[in-house]
Amino acid sequence: MPTSHVGHVFRLRGSIVDVECTGPLPGIHHQLIVDPEDKNVVCEVQQHLGGNIVRSVAITSTQGLSRGMAVQTSGAPISIPISPHLLGRMLDALGQPLDGKEPVEHKERWPIHRPPPSLMDQQAKEEVFQTGIKAIDLLVPLQRGGKAGLFGGAGVGKTVLITELIKNTVALHEGISLFCGIGERSREGEELYREMQQAGVLDRTVLIFGQMGESPGARMRVGYSALTIAEYFRDTGSEDVLLLIDNIFRFVQAGSEVSGLLGRLPSRVGYQPTLASELAEVQERITSSRNGSITSVQAVYVPADDFTDPAAAHTFGHLSASIVLSRHMASQGLYPAIDPLSSNSKLLLPGVVGQHHYRVAQAVRQTLAEYGELKDIIAMLGLEELSERDRQVVNRARRLERFLTQPFFSTEQFTGMEGRRVSVEDTIEGCDAILADDYADYPESSLYMLGSIGEATPPKPEEGAGSYE
């Protein structure tokens, strides 16, 4: 990419590089390259300070930089290589390889800052995107071309669920999966790459990382790079792309770090004052067009499990489905630990999923809600003090909780259980049968970690109804 001299480094402060220009000022979001002969530090212009000085944020490490170093500009925003050869590769925020292979073969580069499709070009169909995961397909159906949030604190299973979604997308839809790791640990990135290889889905997957140890500029911009790749496959390849972002909270966190370094006054709870607009800039690009679709599942870390935190609250407004992971369910071993009462989807309507699906989903929710209300009574007085109807509700609810668990392909090596992919029809049939008390005599353990209801082990003659092992 041709460059031209623009000035020299005037001031350094962490990841912030102030440049004194000797010619025309580079535009906002334009790329700067510091000392291109040696360091090749890439920066992005953020502010014009006056007096021919521009303030930029470094995307790569600033180690070794010093005042007076030459600065050049490409005269354009940061761009990344675009090509079908991206499939099967692991890249950084600038599109450079992280997998030890040669740079990506490409004939063109696209800027990472791109406008979303016009309203006339967008197509928002109320079409369900099946995942093969029982609890999601039944209670929180995802929208093709929509945005789903995966909310939960640390250690409740967000990354495992995202890994499973990648495998199921390739198997069920033959689409392209794009994993964007924002602030990921390098260990997790390496493990995910190896798992995709072993599962045989790497040739339909692109992995792009802004790792935890990188500068906040890289973590802030890796999401834009991932979106640019997703838009390329959607618009030129007419593909259905599943974009998985882990973790959108760390995108907000990186923006907060950069905002503080730029000298902006913090807003509520210490977040940047531009939180809403920065988040919207990313979310508005995730949409369907006439050519294809981008369906997004975004993990959202919830600080201290506080859903009123501004990062979580602002993200909620952009989503068509919210999948909430429960620490209480995870502690009981009910995986995936999806909270059926806190999770919701705009597509769970009779006109979209069908009357039967809607009726069963609502009955499951009602049964689990009634069970939740009865737990305090059971804890204080015991199950024997409940009425016959309430005992029946408890019996159904506990079996539903266990039936909605599912062994994952991505955890086979840890659990020793073969993964299951379940159709929505089989899930509805199983829940309908439990609600009709067809499995009231089955022990709860026989419904735990299986696929369709037909896999349940019949009770032994000595086992009675209401067994609570």
Side-chain angles (χ1 to χ4, degrees):
M1 182 181 294
T3 58
S4 59
H5 180 73
V6 71
H8 62 271
V9 176
F10 178 72
R11 185 187 297 118
L12 288 167
R13 190 174 71 251
S15 296
I16 298 300
V17 181
D18 289 350
V19 177
E20 187 172 25
C21 302
T22 54
L25 299 184
I28 299 296
H29 291 160
H30 275 202
Q31 177 180 346
L32 301 179
I33 303 170
V34 185
D35 197 16
E37 300 301 322
D38 185 16
K39 299 298 178 186
N40 239 0
V41 176
V42 176
C43 304
E44 184 183 82
V45 176
Q46 295 291 318
Q47 294 174 337
H48 289 180
L49 299 180
N52 288 335
I53 294 176
V54 297
R55 178 159 289 172
S56 65
V57 59
I59 306 299
T60 53
S61 172
T62 57
Q63 187 174 0
L65 289 193
S66 62
R67 292 178 61 187
M69 280 187 169
V71 179
Q72 297 197 8
T73 179
S74 63
I78 293 171
S79 60
I80 57 171
I82 289 300
S83 155
H85 297 290
L86 287 165
L87 292 172
R89 300 301 302 272
M90 180 162 61
L91 312 165
D92 66 9
L94 298 174
Q96 297 169 345
L98 292 173
D99 49 14
K101 300 179 182 177
E102 293 295 317
V104 176
E105 293 180 37
H106 65 282
K107 293 182 179 179
E108 58 179 327
R109 298 177 71 93
W110 282 14
I112 63 172
H113 294 279
R114 295 168 52 81
S118 67
L119 290 176
M120 294 301 293
D121 290 332
Q122 293 185 23
Q123 288 193 339
K125 294 181 180 178
E126 291 186 335
E127 184 181 348
V128 174
F129 182 89
Q130 292 196 16
T131 65
I133 298 172
K134 291 186 284 190
I136 293 178
D137 288 343
L138 176 70
L139 301 170
V140 203
L142 305 188
Q143 180 181 5
R144 185 183 296 275
K147 296 181 276 287
L150 200 56
F151 293 85
V156 293
K158 296 187 297 297
T159 302
V160 171
L161 198 50
I162 277 183
T163 307
E164 191 71 7
L165 284 168
I166 292 177
K167 296 185 177 184
N168 288 359
T169 298
V170 174
L172 292 173
H173 303 281
E174 299 182 351
I176 287 174
S177 294
L178 174 55
F179 181 88
C180 174
I182 305 178
E184 279 287 283
R185 301 167 185 85
S186 56
R187 169 185 58 80
E188 292 177 338
E190 190 275 332
E191 286 176 357
L192 182 63
Y193 182 79
R194 192 157 24 88
E195 284 176 12
M196 296 298 103
Q197 267 186 324
Q198 292 170 354
V201 299
L202 190 61
D203 61 341
R204 298 290 292 172
T205 306
V206 184
L207 301 119
I208 182 165
F209 291 95
Q211 296 172 51
M212 188 174 279
E214 293 189 57
S215 70
R219 286 180 275 125
M220 185 174 69
R221 289 297 178 237
V222 69
Y224 291 78
S225 301
L227 282 166
T228 303
I229 295 171
E231 288 166 344
Y232 164 74
F233 284 110
R234 179 195 67 192
D235 296 338
T236 63
S238 298
E239 297 274 8
D240 290 329
V241 181
L242 178 64
L243 173 61
L244 301 124
I245 302 176
D246 188 8
N247 186 308
I248 203 72
F249 172 78
R250 295 200 184 107
F251 165 77
V252 173
Q253 208 171 32
S256 181
E257 288 181 50
V258 170
S259 180
L261 289 167
L262 292 173
R264 296 178 183 141
L265 289 174
S267 183
R268 192 159 64 97
V269 199
Y271 287 107
Q272 63 270 42
T274 53
L275 169 60
S277 57
E278 285 178 5
L279 203 53
E281 195 176 349
V282 169
Q283 301 287 1
E284 287 300 303
R285 289 173 64 181
I286 302 172
T287 185
S288 295
S289 69
R290 300 177 189 276
N291 300 315
S293 68
I294 301 176
T295 304
S296 174
V297 178
Q298 307 165 25
V300 186
Y301 169 69
V302 182
D305 293 338
D306 177 15
F307 286 88
T308 63
D309 185 89
H314 278 289
T315 306
F316 266 118
H318 294 280
L319 305 175
S320 56
S322 300
I323 304 168
V324 179
L325 300 182
S326 161
R327 192 173 301 281
H328 177 66
M329 292 183 69
S331 68
Q332 293 179 290
L334 300 173
Y335 289 105
I338 296 170
D339 187 336
L341 303 180
S342 301
S343 304
N344 64 81
S345 169
K346 294 177 182 176
L347 259 63
L348 191 57
L349 299 168
V352 179
V353 299
Q355 189 67 44
H356 184 50
H357 181 162
Y358 177 77
R359 180 184 62 78
V360 172
Q362 292 301 98
V364 167
R365 277 204 169 129
Q366 183 180 350
T367 303
L368 294 173
E370 289 182 22
Y371 175 46
E373 293 172 358
L374 292 169
K375 281 181 178 177
D376 288 341
I377 299 173
I378 296 170
M380 289 186 293
L381 303 176
L383 191 68
E384 296 76 17
E385 298 300 318
L386 297 180
S387 66
E388 182 63 32
R389 181 193 174 279
D390 287 346
R391 279 201 294 270
Q392 201 174 45
V393 167
V394 172
N395 189 305
R396 292 171 184 165
R398 290 179 65 89
R399 281 158 177 75
L400 285 170
E401 282 183 337
R402 280 143 186 81
F403 176 65
L404 290 175
T405 61
Q406 187 170 342
F408 282 173
F409 293 99
S410 53
T411 59
E412 284 180 354
Q413 57 182 327
F414 307 113
T415 63
M417 289 186 281
E418 185 183 347
R420 295 285 193 279
R421 194 177 293 117
V422 187
S423 69
V424 66
E425 292 79 16
D426 287 345
T427 304
I428 294 169
E429 179 189 345
C431 291
D432 216 2
I434 293 171
L435 290 166
D437 291 329
D438 293 350
Y439 288 81
D441 293 333
Y442 280 56
E444 292 171 10
S445 57
S446 69
L447 299 173
Y448 179 69
M449 285 293 170
L450 46 78
S452 62
I453 195 74
E455 297 175 22
T457 308
K460 296 176 182 177
E462 66 271 13
E463 291 178 332
S467 169
Y468 291 100
E469 61 277 69

